[in-house]
Amino acid sequence: MDTRADATGRELPAGRYGSARPRPGGRVRRWVIAGVGVLFGCGIAYLGYVNLGSPPIDAERTGYSPLDATSIKITFDVTRDSPGKPAECVVRAVMRDGTEGGRREVFIPPGGSSTRISAVIRSSGEPVTADVFGCTYQVPPYLSTGAPPTE
């Protein structure tokens, strides 16, 4: 019979505290839980890499200059990981109160990995600054053919 003793050496009742032998399957259960935890951690790391890693196309404003009361010129550099693919960037004019006064889609032709582009943005009010809203490789057909956008 398997008995257990407390710190003073007294024998503990087996019915109350169970036996000293580990339960069958306990070790396997720990390995399964550890494996699931590792897989979960790897999944979180992958999602973080995909969503927070470096973007395939990036744009940085290098300058802007107001042209008149309703337009502004922006100059920006586009850096991309696939220079042979055309891209599209959306640029916008911002008014004094921080609202967007105008927006324009700009076609970026295939070329080098880094390209400098200038564009004029029309605004509904007096623009004070301009910025690049974002860029993508998903170019709409009306931009890639050179046809004017439909409204």
Side-chain angles (χ1 to χ4, degrees):
M1 179 183 222
D2 187 20
T3 60
R4 292 175 46 191
D6 66 3
T8 62
R10 290 183 292 169
E11 205 173 290
L12 299 174
R16 179 180 270 181
Y17 298 104
S19 67
R21 285 178 274 132
R23 292 182 293 168
R27 184 174 295 164
V28 172
R29 186 175 299 136
R30 279 187 284 235
W31 279 106
V32 168
I33 290 172
V36 168
V38 167
L39 287 174
F40 181 74
C42 289
I44 295 294
Y46 175 75
L47 288 175
Y49 172 76
V50 168
N51 293 322
L52 303 175
S54 62
I57 183 168
D58 189 37
E60 182 178 352
R61 178 185 69 187
T62 57
Y64 64 91
S65 59
L67 299 176
D68 56 38
T70 60
S71 60
I72 191 166
K73 181 179 180 182
I74 183 172
T75 304
F76 58 100
D77 289 335
V78 177
T79 307
R80 49 192 161 174
D81 62 356
S82 298
K85 293 167 84 175
E88 171 207 16
C89 291
V90 176
V91 293
R92 62 187 189 154
V94 181
M95 297 192 301
R96 186 171 305 282
D97 62 358
T99 59
E100 182 178 292
R103 176 181 285 225
R104 179 176 174 191
E105 297 174 51
V106 180
F107 179 73
I108 313 298
S113 61
S114 184
T115 307
R116 179 159 285 182
I117 303 288
S118 292
V120 175
I121 310 164
R122 304 272 179 227
S123 178
S124 61
E126 185 175 357
V128 293
T129 188
D131 62 7
V132 180
F133 186 73
C135 295
T136 182
Y137 284 121
Q138 298 173 354
V139 180
Y142 62 83
L143 268 184
S144 59
T145 60
T150 58
E151 306 212 9

